[in-house]
Amino acid sequence: MRASRIVKKIVLPEISSMMEWMKKDDWKWLGVGALVLAGLLGLAVYRGLFRYVLFDPAWNYKGMAVEPGDCSAGNPEIVELTNGCLMMYTHGQTKESHPSENNTYARSSCDGKTWKWEGLVLKMASMPTAVRLPDGRIRLYFMRGGEGNGKIMNGIKSAVSTDGLKFVEEEGYRFEAGAGAPRPDEMSKVREYYKVEGKGKVEDIQSLAHLSVMAVEGGYRIYFDESMRADPKKYGEDKAWPLWRIRSVFSPDGLNWRLDPGVRIDVEQAPLTLLQRSSNATVVKLKDGYHMFFFAGFSPWEDLTAWKRLTWSGTYEAVSQDGLNFTIKNWPRFPGNDAAVIRRGDKLLAYPGRAQAARRGCSDIVMFERKLTAKEK
């Protein structure tokens, strides 16, 4: 009864008062407000402001996978061992490492959720990626510079292991090119963006990074990033940020590699025409084709308006029937970059990096998963 009296004495008179106010020619302002709101929403869609919150809902966040407490978890790559367990390789430094070192480390897991630290695998070896060979051994590919034949050399080297932890380096380089990702003070030395004509030339590749290997029909393929400099004629003389695109090399035996023709994902490739960095590819072969997951966004040194950097970057997906010619899906799949993606049963598991708040340039690794669709199984 008390509640009833409150409704009659307070609530109903307030509603009546509001209705009287609305009768006084104020409905037109509601219409104006609705038009303004619709315009703002349209602008948000045009500028991609919803990309950041509209990641693919099929990907479910599963929490933290690796929280190292140091800088040892960069660029994860994962390979399945003969016993069905997983080995994750990353690069960086531990607290005991010299700051100039970039070493390869290993972590193991049998469920894909809990990862055990296995320690140092190779010193002065960055951008690791691994594949299981037909005989069960693991071949690890990595980047390392050096000197040989009277010249400075840089490129992809390799090592093999029977257990995924103790590696024996193989002599020589698997693929010579580039000098690793450039520093800001080196950008003036980096060549400007160029189109790849036909098969392309190895000598044109000045910088490569972020390797990802997979077994394909007839051999193996490594996807990698090529770095270039923004064209000052297009962006201005003071715009010397680096651009990234994804290319690949092929080998019939895992030892002798040749450059694949063309580019897998190019700078500003449609529909990502505003994004000038496509990098950190990982590819999974499913029933309906090759699924590439890659980071798309902006150079860390690029001069940007805030809405671009905050709303467009993320891990995108592209699909190909031959592993060479990819069609990009327009919306990001999940946040983060440098993701390792693998198939486990009827699911895809993804392990993107997430920047550490306390250590600039260092990452933790989080986990997402989604179920395979009927056409992918």
Side-chain angles (χ1 to χ4, degrees), residues 250-272:
F250 173 81
S251 172
D253 59 7
L255 296 173
N256 301 286
W257 293 82
R258 63 174 182 266
L259 185 64
D260 281 326
V263 177
R264 309 290 72 81
I265 304 289
D266 210 342
V267 175
E268 299 180 348
Q269 180 173 324
L272 307 182

Side-chain angles (χ1 to χ4, degrees), residues 23-192:
K23 291 177 182 178
K24 298 177 182 179
D25 202 32
D26 285 298
W27 287 104
K28 68 178 182 181
W29 295 111
L30 276 181
V32 171
L35 289 174
V36 171
L37 180 60
L40 290 174
L41 289 174
L43 181 62
V45 171
Y46 171 73
R47 283 194 161 188
L49 293 176
F50 289 123
R51 286 175 182 257
Y52 193 68
V53 296
L54 291 183
F55 292 108
D56 187 347
W59 286 94
N60 297 306
Y61 177 67
K62 306 304 289 186
M64 186 70 67
V66 175
E67 195 170 11
D70 55 28
C71 292
S72 66
N75 295 97
E77 285 282 321
I78 298 173
V79 65
E80 185 176 307
L81 306 176
T82 54
N83 64 0
C85 293
L86 304 171
M87 193 71 73
M88 176 190 290
Y89 299 101
T90 60
H91 76 181
Q93 308 87 29
T94 61
K95 295 176 181 177
E96 292 75 30
S97 305
H98 190 278
S100 65
E101 293 181 359
N102 207 349
N103 304 321
T104 291
Y105 303 96
R107 296 170 176 83
S108 62
S109 175
C110 289
D111 61 6
K113 298 177 181 178
T114 303
W115 293 87
K116 175 187 174 184
W117 170 255
E118 298 288 357
L120 177 69
V121 170
L122 287 174
K123 289 182 70 68
M124 302 304 292
S126 63
M127 311 292 176
T129 184
V131 65
R132 193 175 79 200
L133 303 177
D135 62 6
R137 292 181 301 159
I138 302 299
R139 176 168 280 135
L140 183 75
Y141 297 93
F142 58 94
M143 297 286 299
R144 180 187 288 164
E147 295 186 17
N149 299 322
K151 65 175 183 178
I152 297 177
M153 304 171 68
N154 194 80
I156 302 172
K157 295 179 70 68
S158 64
V160 291
S161 171
T162 56
D163 63 0
L165 293 174
K166 298 176 182 178
F167 282 88
V168 177
E169 293 192 29
E170 297 177 295
E171 186 178 353
Y173 282 84
R174 305 286 73 80
F175 185 76
E176 283 186 59
R183 300 193 309 267
D185 60 346
E186 298 176 320
M187 287 312 301
S188 61
K189 302 178 182 179
V190 177
R191 70 170 299 166
E192 297 170 5

Side-chain angles (χ1 to χ4, degrees), residues 353-369:
R354 188 189 71 176
Q356 295 180 10
R359 299 175 181 85
R360 186 177 181 182
C362 303
S363 299
D364 298 324
I365 301 172
V366 297
M367 179 182 176
F368 290 84
E369 70 173 27

Side-chain angles (χ1 to χ4, degrees), residues 281-302:
T282 182
V283 180
V284 181
K285 179 68 167 67
L286 301 177
K287 184 179 179 181
D288 64 338
Y290 295 87
H291 290 246
M292 175 188 287
F293 298 89
F294 66 98
F295 175 76
F298 306 91
S299 159
W301 308 307
E302 186 176 342

